[in-house]
Amino acid sequence: MSEYAASVVAETIESKPDCKLGLPTGSTPIGMYKNLIQFDLDWSNVKTFNLDEYENISHAHPESYHMYMRKNLFSHVNLKEKNIHFPNNEYDKTIKAEGNLDLTILGIGHNGHIAFNEPGSALTSKTRKVKLAEETIQANSRFFKTVDEVPKHAFTMGLQTIRESKRIILIASGSDKWDILDECFNGNVTTDRPASMLQVHPKIEVFYAS
Ligand code: PGA
């Protein structure tokens, strides 16, 4: 799964050196980044757009997604600082002006969230500040000393921008993710399970590793 996802990112950069990538954080993509940094790629014209970031967290905080990306990818490749993007007020406008994302890699939460689009998020939702679901706060508390330290809000790319990505690869690992994957991709399309909205995307691949 990780090797495949990394090879698709690498092929995308090789075939379109100025591609726009939507990139995830979390435990699942670590293997993909480990594989990806082994490729000899020119990232100098690539633009990256992270899916999300916690609210009110220092970029230097070890659990910030800025830090995660620096550690797992940015410090290993020749990506230009100005080409690195995290959600801000202009996110949707910027991504649209770039011709939309060429490839987005997604993880999935236990409640079917993608990025931080929690259940109930609209199909047309834009980049915005969201309140994290209790389930997400509990799941992410494994990265913090106590659950109280987990930020309660975050900024996330909206479902609209994710759906407009030309290609999507969703990766999920662990037997605890199987039921939600099954519900999202074999069940009904519903805002109760945000990832289910990807069923109708013309170019999506879903990978699961137990
Ligand atoms: P995980 O997170 O890879 O750390 O399980 C996935 C997600 O919540 O999107």
Side-chain angles (χ1 to χ4, degrees):
M1 181 184 79
S2 298
E3 282 172 20
Y4 177 77
S7 71
V8 174
V9 177
E11 281 161 23
T12 304
I13 296 172
E14 273 163 0
S15 63
K16 189 174 178 192
D18 61 346
C19 63
K20 284 68 182 173
L21 302 174
L23 296 177
T25 51
S27 306
T28 313
I30 288 177
M32 173 187 76
Y33 290 124
K34 278 207 171 96
N35 280 277
L36 187 55
I37 60 176
Q38 304 303 321
F39 285 84
D40 184 19
L41 295 165
D42 179 10
W43 289 74
S44 60
N45 290 309
V46 174
K47 293 188 177 163
T48 63
F49 294 85
N50 264 86
L51 296 173
D52 42 21
E53 175 60 288
Y54 292 119
E55 186 199 25
N56 284 338
I57 196 165
S58 153
H59 295 177
H61 190 290
E63 296 309 330
S64 75
Y65 292 165
H66 279 77
M67 195 52 110
Y68 172 105
M69 290 305 296
R70 200 147 296 286
K71 185 170 147 215
N72 289 294
L73 180 67
F74 299 159
S75 63
H76 303 275
V77 297
N78 67 331
L79 185 67
K80 293 194 177 121
E81 203 65 38
K82 69 173 171 79
N83 289 339
I84 294 171
H85 302 83
F86 280 82
N88 59 34
N89 292 337
E90 301 286 298
Y91 223 39
D92 302 303
K93 226 167 91 186
T94 308
I95 293 172
K96 188 136 257 174
E98 293 285 356
N100 290 332
L101 299 169
D102 293 291
L103 171 68
T104 299
I105 311 293
L106 296 173
I108 184 171
H110 294 103
N111 58 6
H113 76 205
I114 43 175
F116 275 137
N117 293 283
E118 301 285 21
S121 299
L123 194 62
T124 52
S125 55
K126 307 284 187 295
T127 299
R128 65 206 186 285
K129 180 176 153 179
V130 291
K131 189 172 180 327
L132 299 181
E134 194 48 44
E135 205 174 350
T136 302
I137 293 170
Q138 290 297 337
N140 290 7
S141 66
R142 70 190 193 277
F143 299 117
F144 293 81
K145 278 193 215 96
T146 67
V147 70
D148 294 337
E149 281 183 30
V150 185
K152 308 294 178 280
H153 294 87
F155 296 94
T156 185
M157 189 186 283
L159 290 172
Q160 174 86 29
T161 304
I162 294 174
R163 286 168 49 239
E164 283 169 353
S165 177
K166 291 168 199 155
R167 183 173 182 182
I168 296 175
I169 294 179
L170 186 146
I171 53 177
S173 60
S175 53
D176 53 321
K177 293 280 175 77
W178 178 254
D179 288 347
I180 191 66
L181 260 194
D182 185 38
E183 282 174 39
C184 288
F185 291 96
N186 294 323
N188 296 334
V189 174
T190 163
T191 53
D192 292 344
R193 293 184 288 276
S196 69
M197 296 186 213
L198 300 175
Q199 281 186 29
V200 292
H201 191 279
K203 207 165 178 195
I204 176 162
E205 292 157 274
V206 178
F207 283 85
Y208 168 74
S210 57

